[in-house]
Amino acid sequence: MTSPETGVLASQTLETMLYSGEITCETPPVEGQIQPASLDLRLGNVAYRVRASFLAGQNRSVRDRLSEFEMHQIDLTNGAVLEKGCVYVVPLMEGLALSRDVSAVANAKSSTGRLDLLTRTITDGGEEFDRIKAGYNGPLYAEICPRSFSVLVRPGMRLNQIRFRRGQAILSDNALRELHAQSPLVDGPAVIEDGLGFSVDLKLPGTDLVGYRAKPHTSVIDLDRIGAYDPKDYWEEVRSDNGRIILDPGAFYILVSREAVHIPPSYAAEMAPYLAMVGEFRVHYAGFFDPGFGHAAAGGAGSRGVLEVRCHEAPFVLEHGQIVGRLVYEKMAAVPEQLYGAGIASNYQGQGLKLSKHFRNPR
């Protein structure tokens, strides 16, 4: 009998897992929930306002810990506002009964990250956010903390996603160099060290507009409303005529990578957290790049990566071309039957500097 392929599990395998019960659902999956290399997770019917973020910890359940930290419950059935600066735990409609050789990692969806809506997955017995051990059997919960904007949510909304893998399939730097030689991963020189490095673009052609900064006092954003909001009501434009900006402590920015990134169909990638030792800021809250990202655009010329940037304790000078993060590539266990951007209404294929899908295009 042939052993199953190692690597990130593709969309057709996720369909099988839903059918077999390895992924459980309170209600049947909806169209578009299965992505090329991940599954969108859906909010349940209730949110728990808690005093602080927490992990269940070894041999503890999330419900046990909720009894310690819960302040009150919020019925989401008819929609409810999650307020900026507060922490909520929401049981998800999906649960897991994984095989012993299958583990998982979760992450915020792109639109979630671009709203500075910190969303992390927690599990019973979990000792890390977003990391789910092989063989896990139990419920899933989303911890949600809106940090720039209060948001209106309803049951079934999909704020985070989960990716499954069998074994270890991360490409070494040498393997990444070989892949880049065969199928260029960026539209320029590849900086490869513990993954594929990427830099920030602060000299966009034909404009001095280089990014956006979240305004501190805004109205609520209804996450079901697409293209409904005027960016000027929620964002300040960030401009630069010298390829340099100063990040303010506590502020949240949307910037863009200088490189156009390409994810070949047989691979997936994850944006790794940036090292604090290189600056007082963090890049990345939504970190999955699906097979086919940048592959269909312009004949495979790549798509820019939008950067979600938060500055920490001290003002920090960010300069054009500065390395701000890295992509870790993994082999797929199989090529997905549906690639990113190929007929699945992917919102950010071929993107440049772009806010989340909730905002109208700036004029």
Side-chain angles (χ1 to χ4, degrees), residues 202 210 238-240 242-247 253 255 316-319:
L202 297 178
V210 297
V238 178
R239 296 183 176 273
S240 174
N242 61 0
R244 176 188 303 153
I245 61 174
I246 297 178
L247 303 177
Y253 298 82
L255 304 172
F316 185 78
V317 176
L318 198 59
E319 302 191 71

Side-chain angles (χ1 to χ4, degrees), residues 240-274:
S240 174
D241 57 8
N242 61 0
R244 176 188 303 153
I245 61 174
I246 297 178
L247 303 177
D248 291 324
F252 178 75
Y253 298 82
I254 295 293
L255 304 172
V256 69
S257 71
R258 185 173 62 164
E259 298 80 10
V261 177
H262 172 219
I263 313 295
S266 297
Y267 298 87
E270 183 178 2
M271 195 184 294
Y274 197 51

Side-chain angles (χ1 to χ4, degrees), residues 123-162:
T123 62
D124 290 347
E127 297 178 294
E128 293 181 276
F129 291 109
D130 288 332
R131 295 300 190 263
I132 301 163
K133 293 181 179 179
Y136 175 73
N137 189 330
L140 298 173
Y141 300 82
E143 179 198 271
I144 303 170
C145 180
R147 293 192 293 183
S148 288
F149 313 113
S150 296
V151 294
L152 179 65
V153 301
R154 299 177 183 85
M157 282 185 170
R158 302 174 331 210
L159 303 188
N160 56 344
Q161 57 194 336
I162 189 167

